[in-house]
Amino acid sequence: MMSAASQETAVSTGRIARTFIYLVLLLFSLYYLLPLYVMVVNSVKPLSEITGGNMMALPQTFTLEPWASAWSTAQIGVEPTGLKPYFINSILMVVPAVAISTILGALNGYVLTKWRFKYDGIVFGLLLFSCFIPFQIVLIPMAVVLGKLGIAGSVSGLVLVHVVYGIGFTTLYYRNYYAAFPTELVRAAMIDGAGFFRIFWRILLPVSGPITVVSVIWQFTNIWNDFLFGVSFGGTRQPMTVALNNLVQSSTGVKEYNVHFAGAILAALPTLLVYIVAGRYFVRGLMAGSVKG
Amino acid sequence: MGFLDISNVTKAYGNVEVLHHVDISVQEGEFLVLVGPSGCGKSTLLNMIAGLEGISSGDISIKGKVVNGVHPSKRNIAMVFQSYALYPNMTVAQNITFGLEMHGIPKAERDKALAEVAKLLQIDHLLSRKPGQLSGGQRQRVAMGRALVRNPDVFLFDEPLSNLDAKLRVDMRTEIKKLHHKLKTTIVYVTHDQIEAMTLSTRIAVMYKGYVQQLGTPKEIYDTPANLFVATFMGSPAMNILPARVVTENGAPHAEITDADGQKRHLRFSGNGIASWANRDILLGIRPEAITDPEGADRKSGNVQQIRNRVTVTEPAGSDTFVTMTLSGKDAISRMRADSNVVPGETFDFAINMDKAVAFDPESENRIVV
Ligand SMILES: Nc1ncnc2c1ncn2[C@@H]1O[C@H](COP(=O)(O)OP(=O)(O)O)[C@@H](O)[C@H]1O
Ligand SMILES: [Mg+2]
């Protein structure tokens, strides 16, 4: 009797609680989606509709003109190039930077967990420490280093900066992931005659999917969205973020809000895409790394 | 010199020595079991044989060749791990042939070896599965297949059965023994289970606190344990250890113990070796199966001593009944036939087979030859 009664109340309060939770979640979603809505809606309106009307209203005349302008003709700084060349700069920077920092992080994690050496704890501690260094502190030393290497103001310079800055994070991810990987497997492979790289390639890497997704998403978003390194070291090969700023901040003529909105979406598109494609694995990989590590 | 020689080997982690001067020589085709409680250094020693752990001092040689610095893959050994250590991303077939592939054996030969091993272990139907799709017993077989396919000089097993349930463990134990009979390969096998050690081995090394306490055949270990640790670690239920005093009666040495009522009882030793311990305290060791009802006493024994004593508890275990009584102030367990009619609280006659009794020096805990 007692238990049946309490079960019933449990069910009914559960229903109320659930409705409440869904309501709250819905509100949050709306709150987060609102800016996106504003951006999309206004990027397909003629400028007159924005300046003369309501930001929240749907377009009366639909146009892709702002997108075309943002992509190829808008004034970026002094050149009417559109965002296209900068988008390419960003791609050229982000792809190698993500790939290199992820591969190095995986190798570091592998060595730090499976090929222990003297003072490996200190090495890991220092790498971890690098995650907490604010960008601003490294600006001047980095400028000196890039100058000495002769790659200041180039895409390779930016790649180097992002690789150096990213290794701390990628190492942390892979180290925690591989710490949960049974060492007996590595020993079995050693007895089987596999060497250092063969064990990495054939035994560890095939099961590293989830954490690789985490590392790639993390690195991609951070490097793509970075502004400070880009504006400091980009020189003539500046990334998308800097160009977007120049587009929005350009003081000549009227402010073409519709073009700005289109440009902003263009700048956000790649990270959005990465999340949609790999987001599912992102959560799974984060859990695997943190729970087991 | 043996097939596998461990000579004066020590292992230290930093300042802590975990293995002290281990000397074991294994003949070709032997089944050596390293047994001891957790943390005694069994796995460490096995890993040193495998080359997975460095040797702090001493030598390990296989077929007369010192292998101290030799890479694990070049020692021609194979190892079965406690967790099986199957590569999760590879199929059973790939798992088994990975080692051959790494050693550059051509595909045709690999497939032939795989087919042979799969047949031997009856895992033909599993070859295309991943380890995640196998039961514990099947994983165990695959792990053995991976070791067998290499045709190694020495097999190393580190607690290979400890992750299986009780029934499967007994089955696999028999299977491993059969396999050894068939292949006659030298095996070093680590376990903390003394029954596994007794049933599988041709010789046992009992280890404790980083020392080899005793090295001998299962019978030697069981009947003439070198010291108190070996005596109590091997055998289940454990050997009864009774404080006793050596007294001389009719010119022959006897063990003086007390029964449940504190009455002194004398049990004649079978030999005269302990005569020099007259009027000194010892620890008398009697295995549970050496205390029986008089009808159940071993007829081949030349020295069965009868004693009347009160029973504290009886534990029927199906095949036997374990009877607890007090001797020399300690609980002593006797293994009786299942249908013996003893009742707790009453007194009965018991027969003690003194041919099987052992004695220990209470100070050094080493065995005294009786
Ligand atoms: N890497 C290590 N560093 C320090 N001590 C260790 C290490 N590996 C094992 N030991 C110690 O060595 C002893 C023997 O360990 P092990 O051979 O694993 O025991 P067993 O296999 O008999 O349970 C234990 O006391 C253990 O704590
Ligand atoms: Mg062990």
Side-chain angles (χ1 to χ4, degrees):
Chain A
M1 275 298 282
M2 275 291 284
S3 71
S6 66
Q7 233 169 27
E8 256 162 45
T9 54
V11 169
S12 60
T13 52
R15 200 165 290 157
I16 292 169
R18 195 164 306 173
T19 315
F20 179 72
I21 288 169
Y22 280 134
L23 266 176
V24 170
L25 287 177
L26 201 71
L27 265 165
F28 271 120
S29 318
L30 283 179
Y31 185 73
Y32 278 110
L33 284 172
L34 200 60
L36 185 64
Y37 166 81
V38 169
M39 281 172 73
V40 172
V41 161
N42 290 293
S43 72
V44 291
K45 283 180 194 170
L47 187 59
S48 55
E49 266 187 53
I50 302 177
T51 46
N54 182 352
M55 289 264 279
M56 302 301 291
L58 286 167
Q60 279 150 359
T61 13
F62 177 87
T63 170
L64 285 177
E65 191 50 39
W67 284 75
S69 166
W71 180 246
S72 51
T73 59
Q75 192 85 16
I76 309 294
V78 288
E79 303 282 343
T81 57
L83 289 168
K84 187 172 146 197
Y86 302 95
F87 190 88
I88 292 168
N89 283 349
S90 266
I91 295 281
L92 289 178
M93 164 188 79
V94 84
V95 171
V98 168
I100 295 171
S101 60
T102 298
I103 290 168
L104 287 178
L107 278 170
N108 282 347
Y110 170 50
V111 170
L112 285 169
T113 53
K114 305 302 170 202
W115 297 84
R116 312 288 303 272
F117 53 93
K118 213 169 182 178
Y119 306 125
D120 55 359
I122 295 175
V123 171
F124 178 58
L126 288 173
L127 277 167
L128 202 58
F129 186 62
S130 78
C131 297
F132 301 108
I133 299 176
F135 278 25
Q136 291 78 354
I137 289 181
V138 297
L139 282 183
I140 289 168
M142 190 61 87
V144 174
V145 170
L146 290 179
K148 290 232 160 99
L149 290 174
I151 49 174
S154 72
V155 171
S156 4
L158 281 177
V159 169
L160 179 73
V161 173
H162 286 297
V163 165
V164 168
Y165 208 84
I167 278 179
F169 291 97
T170 55
T171 301
L172 171 67
Y173 291 145
Y174 279 96
R175 198 211 76 107
N176 285 354
Y177 191 77
Y178 289 153
F181 186 86
T183 303
E184 279 195 349
L185 279 169
V186 175
R187 298 187 145 193
M190 276 173 77
I191 293 178
D192 271 342
F196 179 87
F197 283 107
R198 209 91 78 102
I199 293 174
F200 180 62
W201 188 251
R202 295 281 301 270
I203 312 291
L204 269 89
L205 221 46
V207 296
S208 303
I211 203 64
T212 302
V213 169
V214 169
S215 177
V216 166
I217 291 189
W218 175 267
Q219 284 298 89
F220 190 96
T221 347
N222 273 327
I223 298 174
W224 185 273
N225 289 338
D226 162 69
F227 180 81
L228 188 58
F229 285 156
V231 78
S232 312
F233 307 126
T236 56
R237 306 293 306 274
Q238 286 177 326
M240 189 75 169
T241 44
V242 180
L244 180 66
N245 179 60
N246 290 346
L247 168 73
V248 175
Q249 299 292 332
S250 61
S251 47
T252 51
V254 285
K255 287 219 179 272
E256 297 184 297
Y257 291 113
N258 52 356
V259 175
H260 297 174
F261 280 129
I265 297 175
L266 277 173
L269 220 48
T271 47
L272 209 64
L273 213 71
V274 166
Y275 266 107
I276 291 168
V277 171
R280 221 150 32 98
Y281 304 97
F282 183 66
V283 177
R284 214 183 292 167
L286 268 188
M287 296 300 286
S290 57
V291 173
K292 287 191 200 152
Chain B
M1 224 182 54
F3 190 74
L4 164 66
D5 278 313
I6 302 165
S7 328
N8 202 16
V9 161
T10 59
K11 175 71 185 180
Y13 289 109
N15 299 325
V16 188
E17 204 172 275
V18 297
L19 280 176
H20 322 278
H21 303 284
V22 174
D23 269 301
I24 301 175
S25 176
V26 186
Q27 300 305 315
E28 181 159 17
E30 253 199 286
F31 197 131
L32 176 79
V33 172
L34 305 175
V35 69
S38 182
C40 70
K42 312 177 292 285
S43 297
T44 305
L45 184 56
L46 198 74
N47 288 335
M48 286 161 84
I49 300 172
L52 297 169
E53 293 275 1
I55 299 170
S56 302
S57 74
D59 287 321
I60 292 181
S61 45
I62 299 175
K63 284 170 131 179
K65 189 178 135 239
V66 174
V67 292
N68 284 18
V70 179
H71 190 269
S73 67
K74 305 248 159 62
R75 296 186 179 200
N76 202 21
I77 48 113
M79 189 153 169
V80 176
F81 294 88
Q82 182 170 6
S83 65
Y84 315 134
L86 300 178
Y87 310 125
N89 55 308
M90 298 186 201
T91 63
V92 167
Q94 288 167 334
N95 259 284
I96 292 176
T97 54
F98 185 70
L100 298 179
E101 188 194 332
M102 290 300 114
H103 282 81
I105 312 273
K107 177 102 170 65
E109 249 176 88
R110 297 204 302 255
D111 289 344
K112 191 160 154 283
L114 171 67
E116 274 171 32
V117 165
K119 186 151 167 284
L120 181 69
L121 293 170
Q122 294 152 13
I123 49 175
D124 312 69
H125 59 295
L126 303 175
L127 293 182
S128 56
R129 290 206 204 159
K130 294 273 179 74
Q133 301 164 309
L134 302 178
S135 71
Q138 290 170 333
R139 278 179 216 186
Q140 164 70 50
R141 276 169 196 277
V142 175
M144 299 223 305
R146 188 169 64 183
L148 284 171
V149 80
R150 304 260 317 273
N151 197 13
D153 288 331
V154 184
F155 274 122
L156 306 174
F157 288 89
D158 193 351
E159 312 224 11
L161 304 183
S162 60
N163 284 341
L164 301 178
D165 58 54
K167 162 105 178 64
L168 203 53
R169 198 179 311 160
V170 175
D171 293 347
M172 286 307 292
R173 201 169 75 198
T174 316
E175 199 136 336
I176 291 177
K177 185 142 190 176
K178 276 194 211 150
L179 219 53
H180 179 243
H181 273 295
K182 195 167 194 173
L183 303 173
K184 303 202 160 41
T185 313
T186 312
I187 294 180
V188 182
Y189 185 109
V190 162
T191 180
H192 65 267
D193 179 351
Q194 47 92 19
I195 298 180
E196 254 172 53
M198 292 294 294
T199 49
L200 285 172
S201 65
T202 57
R203 272 198 308 159
I204 297 177
V206 183
M207 297 180 62
Y208 184 49
K209 292 188 171 168
Y211 289 96
V212 173
Q213 304 284 330
Q214 189 174 4
L215 177 64
T217 64
K219 188 168 166 54
E220 284 166 357
I221 300 274
Y222 195 74
D223 288 344
T224 54
N227 55 41
L228 202 57
F229 173 78
V230 177
T232 49
F233 186 75
M234 302 300 288
S236 172
M239 182 187 271
N240 298 303
I241 302 295
L242 312 172
R245 196 173 179 78
V246 179
V247 295
T248 315
E249 205 179 280
N250 304 328
H254 284 62
E256 183 181 84
I257 58 171
T258 58
D259 65 16
D261 299 325
Q263 295 293 320
K264 288 191 165 53
R265 303 282 178 178
H266 287 182
L267 305 171
R268 183 168 60 79
F269 282 107
S270 293
N272 261 327
I274 201 164
S276 59
W277 281 75
N279 302 320
R280 288 164 69 186
D281 289 331
I282 58 156
L283 294 171
L284 180 67
I286 304 173
R287 294 218 177 262
E289 65 270 20
I291 310 177
T292 56
D293 42 5
E295 305 87 70
D298 186 353
R299 296 216 187 86
K300 278 185 278 180
S301 170
N303 180 13
V304 175
Q305 306 274 307
Q306 210 140 313
I307 183 176
R308 205 172 163 71
N309 204 12
R310 192 170 37 251
V311 170
T312 341
V313 181
T314 64
E315 292 167 272
S319 56
D320 308 287
T321 296
F322 294 104
V323 175
T324 308
M325 64 189 80
T326 306
L327 285 174
S328 288
K330 305 256 182 200
D331 276 344
I333 294 179
S334 98
R335 180 191 298 233
M336 316 269 275
R337 292 172 302 169
D339 52 1
S340 59
N341 55 354
V342 296
V343 194
E346 314 227 333
T347 47
F348 295 89
D349 283 325
F350 292 95
I352 299 181
N353 180 1
M354 286 300 284
D355 273 357
K356 294 278 184 185
V358 288
F360 300 96
D361 178 343
E363 299 279 310
S364 71
E365 301 194 341
N366 288 331
R367 188 168 58 89
I368 306 163
V369 179
V370 297

